[in-house]
Amino acid sequence: MTTATGYAPNRTLPLRVEFVRQFKRRRTLGMFALLLALPWVLVIAFQIGPQSSSQGQSALRMSDLATQSGLNFAAFVLSVSASFLLVVAVALFCGDTVASEANWSSLRYLLAAPIPRDRLLRQKLIVALGYSAAAVIVLPLMGLLAGTLAFGWDDITVPGTGETIPAFDVLPRFGIVIGYALVSQLVVAALAFLISTMTDSPLGAVGGAVGLWIVCTILQAVEALGVLREFLPTFWNNAWTDALVPELDWSGMAKGASVSVTYAAILIAIAFRRFRRKDVTS
Amino acid sequence: MKRVAALVAALALIGVTAWLVWPSAPEVRGQDQRITVVDGPDDDQRVELDTTFFPPPDGGKAPAVLLAHGFGGSKQSMRDQAVRLAQQGYAVLTWSARGFGRSTGQIALNSPDYEVKDVKQLIDWLAKRPEVRLDASGDPRVGIAGGSYGGAIALMTAAYDHRVDAIVPQITWSDLADALFPNAAAQPSGASTTAAQSPGAGTAAQPSGASPAARPSSAAVQSDDEAAMSGVFKRMWAGIFFGQGVSLDATSLLSRRETAAGPVTVEQARCGRFRPEICDIYQRVAETGRATPEAVELLRKSSPITVAAQIKAPTLLIQGQRDSLFPLGHADANARAIAAQGTPVSLAWFDGGHDGGNGETDWLFDQSVAWFARYLKGEGAGQAGTPVSAFTVTRDGGRDPGTRQRIRLHPEAASYPGLAGTATTSVRLNGPEQNIVNPPGGAPASVSTVPGLGGLLGGQNTGGVSIDMPGQSAAFESAPLTAPLQLTGSPTVRVRVTGEGEATLFAKLYDVADDTQLPTLPAGLVAPVRVTIPEDAGSAEATISLPAVDHRFAVGHRLRLVVTTTDMGFATPAQPAAYQVALASPAVTIPTVSTLAAAPTGVAWWVWAMPLAAVLLAAVLLSTGRSRRRPVLTTAGQGGAAPSATPDAPLAAPALNGTPQDASASSAKHDANADATNGATGSFPTNGAAYDADAGSGAGHDGTARPGGGDANGGHADVTADDGRADGGRGADGDAGHGDGAGAGSTSNGVGGDGWSEAGAGIGGGSGVAAVAGGGVRGGAVRFEEAAGDGAGVPLEISGLTKAYRNGELAVNDLSFRVERGQVLGLLGPNGAGKTTTMRMMMGLIHPDAGEIRIFGERVSPGAPVLSRLGSFVEGPGFLPHLSGRDNIELYWAATGRPKADAHFEEALEIAGLGKALERAVRTYSQGMRQRLAIAQAMLGLPDLLVLDEPTNGLDPPQIREMREVLKRYARDGRTVIVSSHMLAEVEQTCSHVVVMRRGRLVSAGPVSRLLGSAAAVRNGHGPRLEDVFLDLIGDKP
């Protein structure tokens, strides 16, 4: 008998257990509270702010159209948060996952339980991605709810051209938007996860991922890089707006998803490879 | 950290170096030059042209390029382009045309008598420059490029001067009369003529017999005199055009302000810098809104179409899709006329023109450079394809999702199909005959494009503001399209107009998306038509060539033909009139160019290739990095000469009381060692591998001990010795007592059972403990041979374990020991002895560099299943601070995936003794509480082997005592406990056996009682404490 009774490597760290372990954390609850409150804060901001009489004028920016309908508002909420807030949320859920265990010293007990290293990473990654996905999904949905309650249910007005798309035509498009937002955040998730396996400091992992993200955003602004910028992970971040135009355009989202999946696959593979060989000294 | 810093520094260095050595564009210096030319019909007018010459920056002889400016500009407006072109290796000459900028003379609208003669003399001047490559004496290799007014001079000069080798005219006209008096209607009968006549026939200015160039009947341009005579005056553009020439000195719309000398006379105020005959004709025409024969004759003189057949220079015609002044039809006419003589011609329809659009400056420049490279430098001439395709169209590529900017595609075709396309599609239009009126005075007028402002008012992709006045327009609409329709060229439609006299109408083809959106007028272009209704017929049919555009009608969109009576840009009759407009044939013919359809709009290859490659790479990364096997050591560890030393056996063994079976075992070992000695003596010094060294260890013992006897060089106290190092190193570091003892032990090995007494004698003052250690070596080897037989049962067996810190220092150095069932083993050693590192390796957290650990016979590796039989508490507790103690324990057990019933929560939690605190979050716990909880966690499931690191840290004395009992009881049930501690008194009371480590090496091992007893033997009954023994062992005793 070489194992304890009832021990089987593929039964270790069930997803449910990891989910519960992470759920009661303040950062999890706090982040979700923030994401759920943000649409309401924006609603209040729009309500108490000076009412602009610019309706129907030439300035058709997304923020000007936010109060047109619940759908417009949800799109606006997503657009203002996709570039940073969601990045932080995803980096938090994925970057914190291994590093915080290392920080609490509980990682070594999990590994000595023993949970095979690949399995530990896999289960943690799945749960972290689950939380990230929940964050990305919950925000526009709450935006839709808040916006519909505050501004009513109406057709969506497209920024820029002012065209309208019927509300029920655009709902599946909204699914595409959220799906793309998920895929595009995969890079952040993978990056944060990789750093998380390399450091004992949860803040370092989250900060590192967000920091690299910011560097990419800055590089993206350097027009001299030309076509190289297309391969920056941040470049296609807003491609989901193509799903909210009258004629759905997949090309940008396809490129964005391609870049995102590419980076994510490699980063996650490196994370597994490194962690497998790592001397856990925390 | 250092590596990171070094990497950053290296990257910074590379960046700076690259920046410093990166080739910068060569500097180009312009030389201002005033060149005097003589022109006029009689070659008697002297004009001073203001020029700037940009020699090629690389020196040598280069082809020359003349850059001509647009109307209202000057040589200054071409400066940037000239510098860029010169950097490409050309000698560039820019000049202000006569009447513009600081040049003298008057504007003659690119007349062959004036401007063309000027440019010919500029070419003469170039031929004398040493920087310019010559084809022949007085014949420089020269090209001309320019836009609008400058494009026309390129065409005109190329026709009159065959020294010109290549031209790139942009957004220019073919027939100025048609540009200002267009008529897009062709009437099969009646007053209007057909459009199939040769261009410029009977024009006085034509220098030689024009070869008739066949022109399509559908062409938007009608170039014969009568067509122009009946054309609709393009009032606003003509006004802007003329106004610029007049007001050039005061305010110039398109260029920097430049002042000419002299006060403004009445004549100057009236005509500005125009030649008087042009000024007179314009004023007459603008007043009536009708062309006169003189006007047409004059404009024809300045029209390339009249002389295009003589152009021998390869021509790249670049025409704007957003150009209501010189629409695409003009480039079409030029291209056909030039190509008819076999001259190479390429066309590009770009996103720009006089009405705005993007302009595509860089793309145009690249195309021009490619053209000149081919025909001036001769590059690429031998290659199969031309660098510039025969026909290129700029199309909207949608929005770049990254930058949110519009992107443009450039589909190409190998041949130019003309405005009729390669194929046509008929789209049925519906609509009854409709009544429209021409309002008195022509106001209010419909709006299609506002000349000069089109770019400002309209969006880049929309047709701009387009308004049809109610009552003035008739509309005919198609059903929604079932397939997308890409229109490229000039659509045609036949209408019937009923009314009286001459009807001035404007036809436009809208793209209608749906009711919620404004219809789009592609490029904002409108086709003006003048239909003459024969008096007796009452109605007339006309074929209207709608403006040539490139436009994509999407699925579900409709085509709408609108015929109005007014347009703001044109002169319309002031008399009120009413007409009925109906479709003569109910369809509009849409030309399409299928050769262009294969535009590179597909998904870029990397979109699917990159993730695929990434997934492959990820798979490779994962499959190659699966584990780090170290196969060298396993066999050595199992071999007969393996160095494993179990702590208990040697002390039970014959060193002092000589149990028979141990003695026999000892001799067995002796034999083995002797064998090894015999075999290995000669080769020993070259032995490098750790385990071979172990095998040779015996040899080393014998070899050094025999001759030297009590020599300190016999440095083999280490349980698993590395002789290669020990021989020199040990002797040097003066660890004499230790070393001697070991040497003695070894010697005794060599001489068999009698050796012990010899050893004692030989070393004299040598430490007794050391002797014990020496015994350990021997006994260990013996025990190992036994163990090799009994297999998997041994709870812990460490052999040859080595682990180096990153800096190379050894944290654990060749450690071997063994723990039996039922033992409570104390792992002792000063800080940095390698205790914790060893424990981490037991848990599979750290990979050993050499050697191995076996738990119950199973080799430990990260995540090895056998670890499930190990309970551990190492280097402090590890809990999730936000969860309660109970949650932590329960979730930890759940994480092991084992049945809840096996956990024995109650027993474990009883040991923790936390009471109600168990339900509080762990972050509120004291150090001791966490410690106890962690020990409880280690005991979950009652593991067969329990490893505790400093378990009594932070506990109070009663708890320490309790812990002691717990551990003893735990081991009594046949389980094994390993405890590391600094509290030697504790260890003394708790543990049955001890392993002492120092600097990563095993110093001593054995039962506590033996350790103490041996010390007592040497010290003659001093009643030693473990502390003394320990300090003695680690050599820190004062």
PDB file of all heavy atoms in Angstrom, chain B residues 319-322 348-353 356-361 363-364 393-396 406-408 410 460-461:
ATOM      1  N   GLN B 319      -6.819  59.449 -60.058  1.00  0.00           N
ATOM      2  CA  GLN B 319      -7.994  60.312 -60.039  1.00  0.00           C
ATOM      3  C   GLN B 319      -8.771  60.094 -58.744  1.00  0.00           C
ATOM      4  O   GLN B 319      -8.827  58.966 -58.229  1.00  0.00           O
ATOM      5  CB  GLN B 319      -8.887  59.995 -61.250  1.00  0.00           C
ATOM      6  CG  GLN B 319      -9.826  61.110 -61.628  1.00  0.00           C
ATOM      7  CD  GLN B 319      -9.116  62.263 -62.365  1.00  0.00           C
ATOM      8  OE1 GLN B 319      -7.894  62.258 -62.512  1.00  0.00           O
ATOM      9  NE2 GLN B 319      -9.884  63.247 -62.814  1.00  0.00           N
ATOM     10  N   GLY B 320      -9.366  61.151 -58.252  1.00  0.00           N
ATOM     11  CA  GLY B 320     -10.077  61.065 -56.978  1.00  0.00           C
ATOM     12  C   GLY B 320     -11.501  60.573 -57.146  1.00  0.00           C
ATOM     13  O   GLY B 320     -12.195  60.968 -58.079  1.00  0.00           O
ATOM     14  N   GLN B 321     -11.902  59.713 -56.225  1.00  0.00           N
ATOM     15  CA  GLN B 321     -13.288  59.250 -56.264  1.00  0.00           C
ATOM     16  C   GLN B 321     -14.236  60.304 -55.720  1.00  0.00           C
ATOM     17  O   GLN B 321     -15.437  60.236 -55.934  1.00  0.00           O
ATOM     18  CB  GLN B 321     -13.435  57.966 -55.438  1.00  0.00           C
ATOM     19  CG  GLN B 321     -12.638  56.809 -55.991  1.00  0.00           C
ATOM     20  CD  GLN B 321     -12.848  55.555 -55.204  1.00  0.00           C
ATOM     21  OE1 GLN B 321     -13.938  55.283 -54.727  1.00  0.00           O
ATOM     22  NE2 GLN B 321     -11.801  54.784 -55.043  1.00  0.00           N
ATOM     23  N   ARG B 322     -13.707  61.235 -54.976  1.00  0.00           N
ATOM     24  CA  ARG B 322     -14.563  62.285 -54.428  1.00  0.00           C
ATOM     25  C   ARG B 322     -14.186  63.601 -55.097  1.00  0.00           C
ATOM     26  O   ARG B 322     -13.494  64.434 -54.532  1.00  0.00           O
ATOM     27  CB  ARG B 322     -14.381  62.366 -52.910  1.00  0.00           C
ATOM     28  CG  ARG B 322     -14.724  61.055 -52.230  1.00  0.00           C
ATOM     29  CD  ARG B 322     -14.683  61.179 -50.735  1.00  0.00           C
ATOM     30  NE  ARG B 322     -15.436  62.329 -50.267  1.00  0.00           N
ATOM     31  CZ  ARG B 322     -16.758  62.390 -50.209  1.00  0.00           C
ATOM     32  NH1 ARG B 322     -17.476  61.380 -50.591  1.00  0.00           N
ATOM     33  NH2 ARG B 322     -17.347  63.470 -49.765  1.00  0.00           N
ATOM     34  N   ALA B 348      -5.475  54.766 -61.153  1.00  0.00           N
ATOM     35  CA  ALA B 348      -5.802  54.503 -59.739  1.00  0.00           C
ATOM     36  C   ALA B 348      -6.928  55.433 -59.349  1.00  0.00           C
ATOM     37  O   ALA B 348      -6.873  56.629 -59.599  1.00  0.00           O
ATOM     38  CB  ALA B 348      -4.576  54.729 -58.862  1.00  0.00           C
ATOM     39  N   TRP B 349      -7.939  54.856 -58.758  1.00  0.00           N
ATOM     40  CA  TRP B 349      -9.027  55.671 -58.194  1.00  0.00           C
ATOM     41  C   TRP B 349      -8.806  55.693 -56.702  1.00  0.00           C
ATOM     42  O   TRP B 349      -9.007  54.690 -56.030  1.00  0.00           O
ATOM     43  CB  TRP B 349     -10.391  55.040 -58.497  1.00  0.00           C
ATOM     44  CG  TRP B 349     -10.771  55.019 -59.945  1.00  0.00           C
ATOM     45  CD1 TRP B 349     -10.052  55.490 -60.995  1.00  0.00           C
ATOM     46  CD2 TRP B 349     -11.975  54.471 -60.501  1.00  0.00           C
ATOM     47  NE1 TRP B 349     -10.715  55.295 -62.166  1.00  0.00           N
ATOM     48  CE2 TRP B 349     -11.902  54.667 -61.895  1.00  0.00           C
ATOM     49  CE3 TRP B 349     -13.096  53.855 -59.965  1.00  0.00           C
ATOM     50  CZ2 TRP B 349     -12.918  54.253 -62.758  1.00  0.00           C
ATOM     51  CZ3 TRP B 349     -14.105  53.446 -60.808  1.00  0.00           C
ATOM     52  CH2 TRP B 349     -14.023  53.645 -62.199  1.00  0.00           C
ATOM     53  N   PHE B 350      -8.418  56.808 -56.204  1.00  0.00           N
ATOM     54  CA  PHE B 350      -8.092  56.835 -54.781  1.00  0.00           C
ATOM     55  C   PHE B 350      -9.163  57.587 -53.996  1.00  0.00           C
ATOM     56  O   PHE B 350     -10.081  58.175 -54.554  1.00  0.00           O
ATOM     57  CB  PHE B 350      -6.702  57.432 -54.538  1.00  0.00           C
ATOM     58  CG  PHE B 350      -6.651  58.944 -54.631  1.00  0.00           C
ATOM     59  CD1 PHE B 350      -6.450  59.713 -53.487  1.00  0.00           C
ATOM     60  CD2 PHE B 350      -6.780  59.583 -55.845  1.00  0.00           C
ATOM     61  CE1 PHE B 350      -6.408  61.104 -53.564  1.00  0.00           C
ATOM     62  CE2 PHE B 350      -6.738  60.967 -55.925  1.00  0.00           C
ATOM     63  CZ  PHE B 350      -6.548  61.717 -54.788  1.00  0.00           C
ATOM     64  N   ASP B 351      -9.022  57.503 -52.684  1.00  0.00           N
ATOM     65  CA  ASP B 351     -10.001  58.119 -51.794  1.00  0.00           C
ATOM     66  C   ASP B 351      -9.594  59.565 -51.571  1.00  0.00           C
ATOM     67  O   ASP B 351      -8.871  59.900 -50.635  1.00  0.00           O
ATOM     68  CB  ASP B 351     -10.045  57.347 -50.460  1.00  0.00           C
ATOM     69  CG  ASP B 351     -11.026  57.972 -49.491  1.00  0.00           C
ATOM     70  OD1 ASP B 351     -11.883  58.757 -49.932  1.00  0.00           O
ATOM     71  OD2 ASP B 351     -10.938  57.676 -48.284  1.00  0.00           O
ATOM     72  N   GLY B 352     -10.051  60.415 -52.453  1.00  0.00           N
ATOM     73  CA  GLY B 352      -9.673  61.824 -52.345  1.00  0.00           C
ATOM     74  C   GLY B 352     -10.228  62.561 -53.544  1.00  0.00           C
ATOM     75  O   GLY B 352     -11.152  62.093 -54.208  1.00  0.00           O
ATOM     76  N   GLY B 353      -9.631  63.704 -53.838  1.00  0.00           N
ATOM     77  CA  GLY B 353     -10.100  64.505 -54.943  1.00  0.00           C
ATOM     78  C   GLY B 353     -10.400  65.915 -54.471  1.00  0.00           C
ATOM     79  O   GLY B 353     -10.106  66.274 -53.319  1.00  0.00           O
ATOM     80  N   GLY B 356     -12.458  66.395 -51.154  1.00  0.00           N
ATOM     81  CA  GLY B 356     -12.033  65.913 -49.843  1.00  0.00           C
ATOM     82  C   GLY B 356     -11.695  64.445 -49.885  1.00  0.00           C
ATOM     83  O   GLY B 356     -10.949  63.986 -50.736  1.00  0.00           O
ATOM     84  N   GLY B 357     -12.255  63.727 -48.965  1.00  0.00           N
ATOM     85  CA  GLY B 357     -11.834  62.335 -48.825  1.00  0.00           C
ATOM     86  C   GLY B 357     -10.560  62.287 -48.003  1.00  0.00           C
ATOM     87  O   GLY B 357     -10.091  63.295 -47.464  1.00  0.00           O
ATOM     88  N   ASN B 358      -9.995  61.130 -47.962  1.00  0.00           N
ATOM     89  CA  ASN B 358      -8.835  60.954 -47.103  1.00  0.00           C
ATOM     90  C   ASN B 358      -7.586  61.597 -47.675  1.00  0.00           C
ATOM     91  O   ASN B 358      -6.762  62.152 -46.969  1.00  0.00           O
ATOM     92  CB  ASN B 358      -8.607  59.451 -46.881  1.00  0.00           C
ATOM     93  CG  ASN B 358      -7.348  59.172 -46.112  1.00  0.00           C
ATOM     94  OD1 ASN B 358      -6.287  59.061 -46.692  1.00  0.00           O
ATOM     95  ND2 ASN B 358      -7.456  59.110 -44.803  1.00  0.00           N
ATOM     96  N   GLY B 359      -7.434  61.531 -49.003  1.00  0.00           N
ATOM     97  CA  GLY B 359      -6.233  62.092 -49.599  1.00  0.00           C
ATOM     98  C   GLY B 359      -5.157  61.059 -49.840  1.00  0.00           C
ATOM     99  O   GLY B 359      -4.464  61.116 -50.846  1.00  0.00           O
ATOM    100  N   GLU B 360      -5.019  60.125 -48.914  1.00  0.00           N
ATOM    101  CA  GLU B 360      -4.069  59.011 -49.075  1.00  0.00           C
ATOM    102  C   GLU B 360      -2.700  59.479 -49.518  1.00  0.00           C
ATOM    103  O   GLU B 360      -2.077  58.899 -50.412  1.00  0.00           O
ATOM    104  CB  GLU B 360      -4.597  57.981 -50.083  1.00  0.00           C
ATOM    105  CG  GLU B 360      -5.904  57.349 -49.667  1.00  0.00           C
ATOM    106  CD  GLU B 360      -6.190  56.130 -50.510  1.00  0.00           C
ATOM    107  OE1 GLU B 360      -5.672  55.058 -50.156  1.00  0.00           O
ATOM    108  OE2 GLU B 360      -6.904  56.250 -51.514  1.00  0.00           O
ATOM    109  N   THR B 361      -2.199  60.526 -48.907  1.00  0.00           N
ATOM    110  CA  THR B 361      -0.946  61.131 -49.346  1.00  0.00           C
ATOM    111  C   THR B 361       0.177  60.107 -49.473  1.00  0.00           C
ATOM    112  O   THR B 361       0.894  60.075 -50.474  1.00  0.00           O
ATOM    113  CB  THR B 361      -0.527  62.209 -48.329  1.00  0.00           C
ATOM    114  OG1 THR B 361      -1.699  62.880 -47.910  1.00  0.00           O
ATOM    115  CG2 THR B 361       0.432  63.176 -48.939  1.00  0.00           C
ATOM    116  N   TRP B 363       0.070  56.836 -49.734  1.00  0.00           N
ATOM    117  CA  TRP B 363      -0.141  55.811 -50.757  1.00  0.00           C
ATOM    118  C   TRP B 363       0.138  56.384 -52.143  1.00  0.00           C
ATOM    119  O   TRP B 363       0.797  55.766 -52.968  1.00  0.00           O
ATOM    120  CB  TRP B 363      -1.577  55.282 -50.663  1.00  0.00           C
ATOM    121  CG  TRP B 363      -1.818  54.118 -51.565  1.00  0.00           C
ATOM    122  CD1 TRP B 363      -1.385  52.844 -51.382  1.00  0.00           C
ATOM    123  CD2 TRP B 363      -2.534  54.130 -52.802  1.00  0.00           C
ATOM    124  NE1 TRP B 363      -1.793  52.055 -52.426  1.00  0.00           N
ATOM    125  CE2 TRP B 363      -2.505  52.816 -53.314  1.00  0.00           C
ATOM    126  CE3 TRP B 363      -3.199  55.118 -53.522  1.00  0.00           C
ATOM    127  CZ2 TRP B 363      -3.125  52.468 -54.509  1.00  0.00           C
ATOM    128  CZ3 TRP B 363      -3.810  54.772 -54.716  1.00  0.00           C
ATOM    129  CH2 TRP B 363      -3.770  53.456 -55.200  1.00  0.00           C
ATOM    130  N   LEU B 364      -0.347  57.622 -52.383  1.00  0.00           N
ATOM    131  CA  LEU B 364      -0.093  58.257 -53.673  1.00  0.00           C
ATOM    132  C   LEU B 364       1.392  58.419 -53.898  1.00  0.00           C
ATOM    133  O   LEU B 364       1.908  58.185 -54.999  1.00  0.00           O
ATOM    134  CB  LEU B 364      -0.776  59.631 -53.739  1.00  0.00           C
ATOM    135  CG  LEU B 364      -2.292  59.663 -53.751  1.00  0.00           C
ATOM    136  CD1 LEU B 364      -2.783  61.037 -54.155  1.00  0.00           C
ATOM    137  CD2 LEU B 364      -2.848  58.618 -54.689  1.00  0.00           C
ATOM    138  N   VAL B 393      -8.235  50.430 -57.267  1.00  0.00           N
ATOM    139  CA  VAL B 393      -9.332  51.199 -56.685  1.00  0.00           C
ATOM    140  C   VAL B 393      -9.186  51.167 -55.172  1.00  0.00           C
ATOM    141  O   VAL B 393      -8.939  50.109 -54.595  1.00  0.00           O
ATOM    142  CB  VAL B 393     -10.701  50.605 -57.082  1.00  0.00           C
ATOM    143  CG1 VAL B 393     -11.828  51.374 -56.410  1.00  0.00           C
ATOM    144  CG2 VAL B 393     -10.879  50.632 -58.582  1.00  0.00           C
ATOM    145  N   THR B 394      -9.311  52.324 -54.576  1.00  0.00           N
ATOM    146  CA  THR B 394      -9.311  52.369 -53.120  1.00  0.00           C
ATOM    147  C   THR B 394     -10.722  52.098 -52.626  1.00  0.00           C
ATOM    148  O   THR B 394     -11.676  52.735 -53.087  1.00  0.00           O
ATOM    149  CB  THR B 394      -8.857  53.741 -52.620  1.00  0.00           C
ATOM    150  OG1 THR B 394      -7.532  53.957 -53.064  1.00  0.00           O
ATOM    151  CG2 THR B 394      -8.904  53.802 -51.108  1.00  0.00           C
ATOM    152  N   ARG B 395     -10.833  51.122 -51.745  1.00  0.00           N
ATOM    153  CA  ARG B 395     -12.154  50.825 -51.186  1.00  0.00           C
ATOM    154  C   ARG B 395     -12.107  50.919 -49.683  1.00  0.00           C
ATOM    155  O   ARG B 395     -11.058  50.738 -49.063  1.00  0.00           O
ATOM    156  CB  ARG B 395     -12.601  49.432 -51.597  1.00  0.00           C
ATOM    157  CG  ARG B 395     -13.136  49.414 -53.018  1.00  0.00           C
ATOM    158  CD  ARG B 395     -13.617  48.064 -53.436  1.00  0.00           C
ATOM    159  NE  ARG B 395     -14.064  48.134 -54.837  1.00  0.00           N
ATOM    160  CZ  ARG B 395     -14.191  47.069 -55.612  1.00  0.00           C
ATOM    161  NH1 ARG B 395     -13.914  45.860 -55.148  1.00  0.00           N
ATOM    162  NH2 ARG B 395     -14.606  47.209 -56.845  1.00  0.00           N
ATOM    163  N   ASP B 396     -13.261  51.144 -49.140  1.00  0.00           N
ATOM    164  CA  ASP B 396     -13.375  51.236 -47.692  1.00  0.00           C
ATOM    165  C   ASP B 396     -13.205  49.835 -47.115  1.00  0.00           C
ATOM    166  O   ASP B 396     -13.904  48.904 -47.500  1.00  0.00           O
ATOM    167  CB  ASP B 396     -14.756  51.793 -47.339  1.00  0.00           C
ATOM    168  CG  ASP B 396     -14.917  51.961 -45.856  1.00  0.00           C
ATOM    169  OD1 ASP B 396     -13.877  52.062 -45.174  1.00  0.00           O
ATOM    170  OD2 ASP B 396     -16.062  51.995 -45.389  1.00  0.00           O
ATOM    171  N   ARG B 406     -10.596  54.515 -40.037  1.00  0.00           N
ATOM    172  CA  ARG B 406     -11.016  53.887 -41.293  1.00  0.00           C
ATOM    173  C   ARG B 406      -9.794  53.261 -41.947  1.00  0.00           C
ATOM    174  O   ARG B 406      -8.716  53.851 -41.951  1.00  0.00           O
ATOM    175  CB  ARG B 406     -11.600  54.940 -42.228  1.00  0.00           C
ATOM    176  CG  ARG B 406     -12.931  55.435 -41.772  1.00  0.00           C
ATOM    177  CD  ARG B 406     -14.041  54.830 -42.606  1.00  0.00           C
ATOM    178  NE  ARG B 406     -15.252  54.738 -41.825  1.00  0.00           N
ATOM    179  CZ  ARG B 406     -16.085  53.721 -41.890  1.00  0.00           C
ATOM    180  NH1 ARG B 406     -15.835  52.702 -42.690  1.00  0.00           N
ATOM    181  NH2 ARG B 406     -17.160  53.699 -41.157  1.00  0.00           N
ATOM    182  N   ILE B 407      -9.963  52.099 -42.485  1.00  0.00           N
ATOM    183  CA  ILE B 407      -8.856  51.534 -43.244  1.00  0.00           C
ATOM    184  C   ILE B 407      -9.289  51.399 -44.696  1.00  0.00           C
ATOM    185  O   ILE B 407     -10.478  51.300 -44.997  1.00  0.00           O
ATOM    186  CB  ILE B 407      -8.394  50.167 -42.700  1.00  0.00           C
ATOM    187  CG1 ILE B 407      -9.574  49.249 -42.475  1.00  0.00           C
ATOM    188  CG2 ILE B 407      -7.596  50.346 -41.449  1.00  0.00           C
ATOM    189  CD1 ILE B 407      -9.161  47.861 -42.090  1.00  0.00           C
ATOM    190  N   ARG B 408      -8.321  51.415 -45.580  1.00  0.00           N
ATOM    191  CA  ARG B 408      -8.605  51.370 -47.003  1.00  0.00           C
ATOM    192  C   ARG B 408      -7.936  50.159 -47.624  1.00  0.00           C
ATOM    193  O   ARG B 408      -6.830  49.783 -47.260  1.00  0.00           O
ATOM    194  CB  ARG B 408      -8.092  52.651 -47.667  1.00  0.00           C
ATOM    195  CG  ARG B 408      -8.965  53.842 -47.401  1.00  0.00           C
ATOM    196  CD  ARG B 408      -8.253  55.119 -47.763  1.00  0.00           C
ATOM    197  NE  ARG B 408      -7.098  55.307 -46.912  1.00  0.00           N
ATOM    198  CZ  ARG B 408      -7.178  55.802 -45.686  1.00  0.00           C
ATOM    199  NH1 ARG B 408      -8.331  56.172 -45.195  1.00  0.00           N
ATOM    200  NH2 ARG B 408      -6.100  55.919 -44.946  1.00  0.00           N
ATOM    201  N   HIS B 410      -6.881  48.228 -51.312  1.00  0.00           N
ATOM    202  CA  HIS B 410      -6.517  48.603 -52.676  1.00  0.00           C
ATOM    203  C   HIS B 410      -6.578  47.398 -53.597  1.00  0.00           C
ATOM    204  O   HIS B 410      -5.537  46.866 -53.989  1.00  0.00           O
ATOM    205  CB  HIS B 410      -5.106  49.221 -52.693  1.00  0.00           C
ATOM    206  CG  HIS B 410      -5.024  50.499 -51.926  1.00  0.00           C
ATOM    207  ND1 HIS B 410      -4.431  50.593 -50.688  1.00  0.00           N
ATOM    208  CD2 HIS B 410      -5.499  51.723 -52.203  1.00  0.00           C
ATOM    209  CE1 HIS B 410      -4.531  51.837 -50.250  1.00  0.00           C
ATOM    210  NE2 HIS B 410      -5.165  52.553 -51.136  1.00  0.00           N
ATOM    211  N   GLN B 460     -16.570  60.989 -43.975  1.00  0.00           N
ATOM    212  CA  GLN B 460     -15.646  60.415 -44.940  1.00  0.00           C
ATOM    213  C   GLN B 460     -16.287  59.300 -45.740  1.00  0.00           C
ATOM    214  O   GLN B 460     -15.900  59.042 -46.860  1.00  0.00           O
ATOM    215  CB  GLN B 460     -14.422  59.873 -44.209  1.00  0.00           C
ATOM    216  CG  GLN B 460     -13.510  60.994 -43.782  1.00  0.00           C
ATOM    217  CD  GLN B 460     -12.115  60.497 -43.564  1.00  0.00           C
ATOM    218  OE1 GLN B 460     -11.910  59.320 -43.391  1.00  0.00           O
ATOM    219  NE2 GLN B 460     -11.157  61.387 -43.570  1.00  0.00           N
ATOM    220  N   ASN B 461     -17.235  58.647 -45.145  1.00  0.00           N
ATOM    221  CA  ASN B 461     -17.786  57.508 -45.869  1.00  0.00           C
ATOM    222  C   ASN B 461     -19.155  57.814 -46.448  1.00  0.00           C
ATOM    223  O   ASN B 461     -19.628  57.112 -47.310  1.00  0.00           O
ATOM    224  CB  ASN B 461     -17.901  56.295 -44.951  1.00  0.00           C
ATOM    225  CG  ASN B 461     -18.751  56.594 -43.747  1.00  0.00           C
ATOM    226  OD1 ASN B 461     -18.809  57.734 -43.300  1.00  0.00           O
ATOM    227  ND2 ASN B 461     -19.411  55.581 -43.227  1.00  0.00           N
TER     228      ASN B 461
END
